[in-house]
């Protein structure tokens, strides 16, 4: 009888051990993460693959999808919410259009993390991983402030603004950062905006598209810079600057303006090297991806992610807890840093 009881106890122990082992294994492998990024943009495609491979290496199931339109992305998000994902990571195709789809994920208590593009006018976002976009605008403006000796009453210099797409909250913050430094010099007459166009809505470039920027530059040159120098172009990104680095194509015949940018694209680095673009900013996607991965894991596991900004990113509905990564200014003197 004792032998039978011992065998039964052993059997129960083995069954319990198998059950507990299965539960432990389930912790990561049962967790599904859905990542939704814009299609056709090399940076998002590369980062999406990096996030996917890293998370899968840590036992997560990852569904990575790209969308060309806001409607397509909305459908992807709603399906993932219906299928029972454990986390949504979103870089919005259109930051103003994604809220209703995210709300369906929020209803199911699915953590929602915004990656580099913040959804607007919705409370359906828990965390935000991005670069310090207001700081990017400040950094560009401070470089110009120093280069043109504005603190020492340098000027007057002519300046025009080419801000990012109005469907991207990052563009609003870059504009805010630029103007926090440069508007006082505009008010004092040290910087002269010949077009008079200083409001964000008048300077935005749809889709951050260089072709749209080139068309606007052509219009400005025709109306305000025929026979007049254009000294500075505050461009919010390298993609915009691509349409500005050859102002002669817009009919401009003066000396090369000083042009800003960000992203440190190969074309922009070439333009910095040959003097067509003054600066770009390198944003380390490796740093952003690493911070985002840690944020995803914390959100899925129900722990507090690493955050360093709790007040800047109000999307029109809530202030989203964020982690901000810091970019590096690249000019002719430190081009080598762009390759690090």
């Amino acid at each position: 009888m004792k032998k039978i009881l011992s065998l039964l106890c052993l059997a129960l122990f083995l069954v319990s051990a198998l059950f507990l082992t299965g539960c432990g294994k389930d912790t990561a492998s049962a967790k599904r993460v859905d990542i939704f990024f814009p299609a056709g943009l090399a940076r998002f495609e590369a980062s999406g693959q990096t996030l996917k491979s890293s998370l899968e290496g840590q036992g997560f199931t990852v569904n990575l999808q790209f969308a060309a339109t806001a409607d397509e992305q909305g459908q992807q998000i709603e399906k993932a919410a219906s299928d029972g994902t454990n986390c949504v990571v979103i870089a919005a195709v259109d930051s103003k259009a994604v809220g209703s789809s995210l709300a369906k994920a929020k209803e199911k208590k699915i953590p929602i993390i915004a990656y580099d593009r913040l959804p607007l006018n919705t409370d359906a976002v828990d965390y935000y991983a991005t670069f310090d976009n207001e700081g990017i605008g400040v950094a560009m403006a401070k470089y110009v402030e120093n280069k043109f000796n504005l603190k020492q009453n340098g000027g007057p210099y002519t300046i025009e603004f080419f801000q990012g797409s109005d469907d991207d909250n990052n563009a609003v913050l870059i504009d805010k950062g630029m103007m926090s430094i440069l508007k006082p010099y505009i008010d004092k007459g040290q910087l002269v905006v010949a077009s008079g166009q200083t409001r964000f809505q008048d300077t935005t470039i749809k889709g951050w598209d260089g072709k749209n920027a080139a068309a606007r530059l052509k219009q400005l040159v025709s109306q305000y810079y025929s026979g007049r120098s254009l000294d500075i172009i505050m461009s919010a990104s390298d993609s915009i600057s691509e349409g500005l680095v050859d102002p002669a194509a817009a009919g401009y015949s003066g000396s090369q303006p000083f042009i800003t940018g960000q992203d440190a694209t190969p074309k922009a680095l070439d333009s910095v090297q040959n003097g067509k673009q003054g600066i770009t900013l390198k944003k380390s996607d490796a740093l952003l991806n690493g911070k985002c991965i840690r944020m995803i894991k914390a959100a899925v596991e129900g722990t507090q992610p690493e955050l360093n900004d709790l007040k800047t990113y109000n999307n029109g509905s809530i202030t989203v807890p964020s982690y901000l990564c810091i970019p590096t200014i690249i000019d002719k003197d430190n081009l080598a840093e762009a390759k690090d």
Side-chain angles (χ1 to χ4, degrees), residues 12 24 63 78 99-100 175 191 300 307 311 335 340:
L12 286 170
N63 179 35
E78 289 175 27
S100 60
D175 175 74
L191 295 175
V300 170
L307 305 166
K311 62 181 183 179
L335 273 168
D340 292 344

Side-chain angles (χ1 to χ4, degrees), residues 58-304:
Q58 297 178 61
F60 291 84
T61 299
V62 181
N63 179 35
L64 170 64
Q65 295 188 71
F66 298 95
T69 67
D71 285 344
E72 181 185 6
Q73 191 171 62
Q75 291 167 12
Q76 292 171 347
I77 293 167
E78 289 175 27
K79 185 176 187 309
S82 176
D83 290 346
T85 186
N86 297 107
C87 184
V88 165
V89 182
I90 170 76
V93 172
D94 183 338
S95 295
K96 296 178 180 177
V98 75
S100 60
S101 299
L102 292 177
K104 296 184 178 178
K106 184 185 177 183
E107 286 173 6
K108 296 178 179 290
K109 303 188 184 308
I110 297 167
I112 300 165
I113 296 171
Y115 178 100
D116 202 41
R117 292 184 173 183
L118 182 63
L120 300 178
N121 303 315
T122 176
D123 64 355
V125 56
D126 295 292
Y127 304 109
Y128 184 31
T130 190
F131 292 93
D132 183 357
N133 289 289
E134 187 173 338
I136 285 170
V138 168
M140 290 179 183
K142 280 189 170 293
Y143 194 99
V144 165
E145 179 184 56
N146 292 329
K147 179 176 177 60
F148 290 89
N149 298 313
L150 297 178
K151 283 185 177 179
Q152 290 75 40
N153 297 315
Y157 299 103
T158 53
I159 187 169
E160 294 291 343
F161 294 86
F162 286 73
Q163 301 293 2
S165 192
D166 64 359
D167 58 8
D168 188 342
N169 190 58
N170 291 348
V172 176
L173 289 164
I174 291 167
D175 175 74
K176 181 181 178 183
M178 280 187 192
M179 286 302 181
S180 71
I181 303 300
L182 298 181
K183 190 175 183 304
Y185 298 114
I186 295 171
D187 293 343
K188 288 192 286 186
Q190 289 176 251
L191 295 175
V192 178
V193 185
S195 69
Q197 296 172 12
T198 58
R199 298 185 309 163
F200 174 74
Q201 55 265 44
D202 295 328
T203 61
T204 181
I205 302 299
K206 189 67 177 175
W208 303 78
D209 191 323
K211 291 179 181 177
N212 294 336
R216 180 168 180 260
L217 179 60
K218 189 170 186 178
Q219 180 187 10
L220 293 182
V221 167
S222 160
Q223 289 186 250
Y224 306 105
Y225 293 95
S226 178
R228 182 178 189 175
S229 70
L230 174 53
D231 300 313
I232 305 162
I233 298 178
M234 298 299 298
S235 165
S237 76
D238 291 343
S239 59
I240 291 172
S241 298
E242 279 187 34
L244 307 173
V245 292
D246 185 14
Y252 178 71
S253 57
S255 58
Q256 182 73 19
F258 181 88
I259 300 172
T260 65
Q262 65 162 315
D263 292 329
T265 65
K267 286 183 179 179
L269 294 174
D270 286 344
S271 292
V272 170
Q273 188 166 32
N274 63 33
K276 289 188 174 182
Q277 184 169 325
I279 59 168
T280 183
L281 274 72
K282 179 188 175 184
K283 302 191 300 187
S284 171
D285 286 330
L287 174 61
L288 178 61
N289 292 338
K291 295 298 182 182
C292 188
I293 287 165
R294 292 173 67 179
M295 191 176 280
I296 291 165
K297 290 175 66 179
V300 170
E301 293 165 3
T303 60
Q304 179 66 35

